[in-house]
């Protein structure tokens, strides 16, 4: 048992767990104990600077799992430094609270809430959005992620942190006193009870049929890359014809709505009107809704563009113009504000977004508030985040009670219902015709999250507020 007191052992084990949590090569079981070694490390009083450098290294190496063109190593390093700072600072703050205010704060609750609230702040306001969420490690655990309908992905993360904190506290008691305190035992039992209870909830929820009718939707992707389209006019023209041809194919296979991948077509400004007339005529001819996502070069000698979609109705009219709102760090596109809408097409409300927009909790919550039964998402990924990025969007659908249709260049295209069940998928890196058609429910499913939002974050904030008042009273008493 002496290894549990050795700082390098704790760091190496923690690094292994963190290194295979989330993103590709994810091992879902690791996340339930990933923070235990680091909690024990900081509790034993080891160097915060050592922890910082170790966390930065581990997070950098972990992020290296998604490095492939166009994602470069330097971005992984910057991401690792940012994560190292955040994790180390939060662990230091937790330890100070634990030491100074042990009677006013529960170490387990304060740890769980502190990290949950930080994830919510990151998912709502940071440029990385929801990428740092521990809940992402469970995206293939369909039963457990049903609980996102109750309290969102932040609630799932809270449960993960709560389990970690309970295990670490129990381990500390056992190693220090050779017995487990009643408080630690109760927290450990509570964490197990919550986990089992949510599994029961998810299992039962998946047996309840989704109400309302379904429609056939389709995704269309082309394997000609943006850089090729940009540099080679002939290949660009070929790509445009491929996308239009596959749109016809999807319609002939029964799709009533066809979604292109992000930046599916490159069109110069002077050609935009004639191109849109072709799309309008196609929509009118086939009586389909087309989510036509395309890019327009803005600078002659620089890779910089306008990234947008035009929603073309089955009558050939233009329903909506939408520009990408949540832009990844360094992406060479302009930012043009656009209103998020959920349009009523007679058979249900439908909303649109572009790729990274669905990695921001503020934006995705708006889709649910507007009553969208289906969210249509043109997207563009790369091999390093395939299929993880598409599967992340499924969590947003479970939160909002909406089906997800994500058409993806360089990744997995998928059609999912409001329970996150795949109705059809198409992998960009497999040999296929680039067309996916499947039926999906169109009625929004009511969820507690959609009605009350991140209420777990609110409760956590209230907990810290009340504890803060107790701490102030405690400090004032000590002064007197």
């Amino acid at each position: 048992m002496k290894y549990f007191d050795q700082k390098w052992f704790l760091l190496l084990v923690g690094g292994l767990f963190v290194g295979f949590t989330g993103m590709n090569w994810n091992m879902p079981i690791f996340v339930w104990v990933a923070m235990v070694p680091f909690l024990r490390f900081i509790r034993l009083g080891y160097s915060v600077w050592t922890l910082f450098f170790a966390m930065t290294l581990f997070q950098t190496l972990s992020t290296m799992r998604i490095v492939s063109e166009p994602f470069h190593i330097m971005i992984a390093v910057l991401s690792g430094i940012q994560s190292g700072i955040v994790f180390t600072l939060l662990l230091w703050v937790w330890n100070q609270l634990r030491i100074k205010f042990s009677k006013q704060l529960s170490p387990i609750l304060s740890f769980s809430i502190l990290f949950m609230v930080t994830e919510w702040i990151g998912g709502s306001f940071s440029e990385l959005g929801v990428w740092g969420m521990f809940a992402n490690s469970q995206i293939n655990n369909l039963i457990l992620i049903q609980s996102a309908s109750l309290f969102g992905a932040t609630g799932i993360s809270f449960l993960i942190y709560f389990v970690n904190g309970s295990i670490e506290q129990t381990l500390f008691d056992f190693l220090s006193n050779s017995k487990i305190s009643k408080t630690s035992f109760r927290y450990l039992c509570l964490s197990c009870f919550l986990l089992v209870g949510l599994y029961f909830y998810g299992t039962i929820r998946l047996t309840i049929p989704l109400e309302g009718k379904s429609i056939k939707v389709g995704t269309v992707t082309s394997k000609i890359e943006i850089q090729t389209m940009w540099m080679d006019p002939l290949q660009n023209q070929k790509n445009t014809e491929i996308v239009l041809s596959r749109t016809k194919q999807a319609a002939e296979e029964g799709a009533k709505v066809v979604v292109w991948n992000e930046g599916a077509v490159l069109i110069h400004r002077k050609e935009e009107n004639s191109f849109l007339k072709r799309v309008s005529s196609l929509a009118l001819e086939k009586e389909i809704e087309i989510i036509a996502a395309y890019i327009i070069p803005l600078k002659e000698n620089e890779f910089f563009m306008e990234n947008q979609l035009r929603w073309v109705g089955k009558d050939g009219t233009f329903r909506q113009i939408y520009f990408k709102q949540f832009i990844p760090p360094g992406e060479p596109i302009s930012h043009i504000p656009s209103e998020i809408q959920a349009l009523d097409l007679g058979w249900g409300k439908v909303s649109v977004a572009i790729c990274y927009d669905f990695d921001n909790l503020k934006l995705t919550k708006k889709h649910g508030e507007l009553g969208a039964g289906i969210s249509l998402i043109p997207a563009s990924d790369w091999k390093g985040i395939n299929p993880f990025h598409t599967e992340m969007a499924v969590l947003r659908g479970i939160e909002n009670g909406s089906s997800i249709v994500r058409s993806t260049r360089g990744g997995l295209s998928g059609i999912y219902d409001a329970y996150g069940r795949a109705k059809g998928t198409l992998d960009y890196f497999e040999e296929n015709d680039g067309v996916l058609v499947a039926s999906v429910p169109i009625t929004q499913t009511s969820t507690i999250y959609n009605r009350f939002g991140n209420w777990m974050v609110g409760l956590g904030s209230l907990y810290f507020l009340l504890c803060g008042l107790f701490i102030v009273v405690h400090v004032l008493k000590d002064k007197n």
Side-chain angles (χ1 to χ4, degrees), residues 266-463:
L266 185 152
I267 295 294
H268 292 276
R269 184 74 72 188
K270 61 183 179 181
E271 303 165 345
E272 185 179 15
N273 287 336
S274 60
F275 163 71
L276 290 174
K277 286 180 181 178
R278 290 188 67 187
V279 178
S280 175
S281 298
L282 177 58
L284 184 60
E285 175 192 347
K286 296 297 182 179
E287 295 185 336
I288 57 174
E289 305 282 326
I290 300 177
I291 308 302
Y294 61 96
I295 55 175
I296 296 177
L298 294 180
K299 298 181 180 181
E300 186 174 343
N301 298 316
E302 184 179 344
F303 192 65
F304 191 77
M305 66 199 82
E306 191 175 89
N307 188 344
Q308 65 175 285
L309 63 80
R310 296 285 181 114
W311 183 342
V312 187
K314 63 181 180 180
D315 58 357
T317 60
F318 294 97
R319 298 188 186 276
Q320 184 181 4
I321 303 173
Y322 181 87
F323 297 88
K324 191 171 186 175
Q325 294 302 291
F326 191 48
I327 301 173
E331 187 169 85
I333 66 172
S334 60
H335 182 255
I336 301 174
S338 289
E339 180 186 3
I340 297 172
Q341 302 178 45
L343 303 185
D344 193 340
L345 302 185
W347 38 258
K349 285 188 174 182
V350 182
S351 64
V352 296
I354 299 178
C355 197
Y356 204 61
D357 289 346
F358 248 60
D359 291 343
N360 180 280
L361 291 179
K362 285 198 304 181
L363 294 182
T364 55
K365 186 67 172 63
K366 186 69 174 176
H367 290 257
E369 291 171 347
L370 292 172
I374 305 178
S375 291
L376 310 173
I377 310 170
S380 187
D381 291 338
W382 63 88
K383 198 167 187 178
I385 58 173
N386 178 50
F388 187 74
H389 200 192
T390 292
E391 292 168 343
M392 282 171 58
V394 174
L395 266 176
R396 311 284 82 79
I398 295 173
E399 288 174 338
N400 290 328
S402 62
S403 298
I404 297 293
V405 180
R406 194 173 192 270
S407 180
T408 314
R409 173 200 285 113
L412 185 73
S413 294
I415 299 171
Y416 301 86
D417 68 16
Y419 289 166
R421 295 177 297 200
K423 314 305 283 187
T425 60
L426 190 75
D427 196 319
Y428 177 89
F429 298 102
E430 296 175 354
E431 290 190 20
N432 51 61
D433 60 5
V435 176
L436 170 65
V437 176
S439 294
V440 71
I442 59 177
T443 305
Q444 186 185 47
T445 300
S446 178
T447 69
I448 291 176
Y449 175 86
N450 194 19
R451 179 169 295 184
F452 299 107
N454 286 284
W455 57 272
M456 286 282 289
V457 175
L459 282 181
S461 301
L462 179 61
Y463 172 80

Side-chain angles (χ1 to χ4, degrees), residues 18 59 86 106 158 164 188 214 270 342 345 351:
V18 168
Q59 291 290 343
V86 171
S106 160
F158 171 83
N164 273 267
L188 190 62
S214 298
K270 61 183 179 181
L345 302 185
S351 64

Side-chain angles (χ1 to χ4, degrees), residues 156-288:
I156 297 175
S157 289
F158 171 83
L159 177 64
I160 292 170
Y161 290 123
F162 191 75
V163 171
N164 273 267
S166 299
I167 292 174
E168 191 276 335
Q169 183 69 45
T170 303
L171 180 66
F172 171 76
D173 284 351
F174 181 76
L175 293 177
S176 300
N177 306 313
S178 299
K179 64 177 183 179
I180 301 172
S181 69
K182 290 183 179 180
T183 301
S184 297
F185 181 74
R186 287 168 183 164
Y187 272 112
L188 190 62
C189 288
L190 179 59
S191 66
C192 292
F193 175 79
L194 289 173
L195 186 57
V196 172
L198 291 176
Y199 265 92
F200 269 109
Y201 169 77
T203 301
I204 294 170
R205 187 172 195 254
L206 288 170
T207 66
I208 302 173
L210 291 167
E211 296 181 355
K213 70 174 185 177
S214 298
I215 64 164
K216 281 190 174 182
V217 296
T219 70
V220 165
T221 55
S222 167
K223 294 192 177 183
I224 297 179
E225 298 293 332
I226 289 179
Q227 289 81 359
T228 303
M229 293 155 52
W230 193 281
M231 300 297 295
D232 189 333
L234 292 178
Q235 286 295 307
N236 184 37
Q237 181 59 38
K238 177 183 176 182
N239 175 75
T240 301
E241 298 306 319
I242 288 173
V243 171
L244 293 173
S245 173
R246 291 179 178 176
T247 303
K248 292 180 184 178
Q249 179 184 334
E252 290 164 1
E253 292 180 12
K256 299 301 181 183
V257 180
V258 179
V259 185
W260 296 359
N261 63 259
E262 179 184 14
V265 172
L266 185 152
I267 295 294
H268 292 276
R269 184 74 72 188
K270 61 183 179 181
E271 303 165 345
E272 185 179 15
N273 287 336
S274 60
F275 163 71
L276 290 174
K277 286 180 181 178
R278 290 188 67 187
V279 178
S280 175
S281 298
L282 177 58
L284 184 60
E285 175 192 347
K286 296 297 182 179
E287 295 185 336
I288 57 174

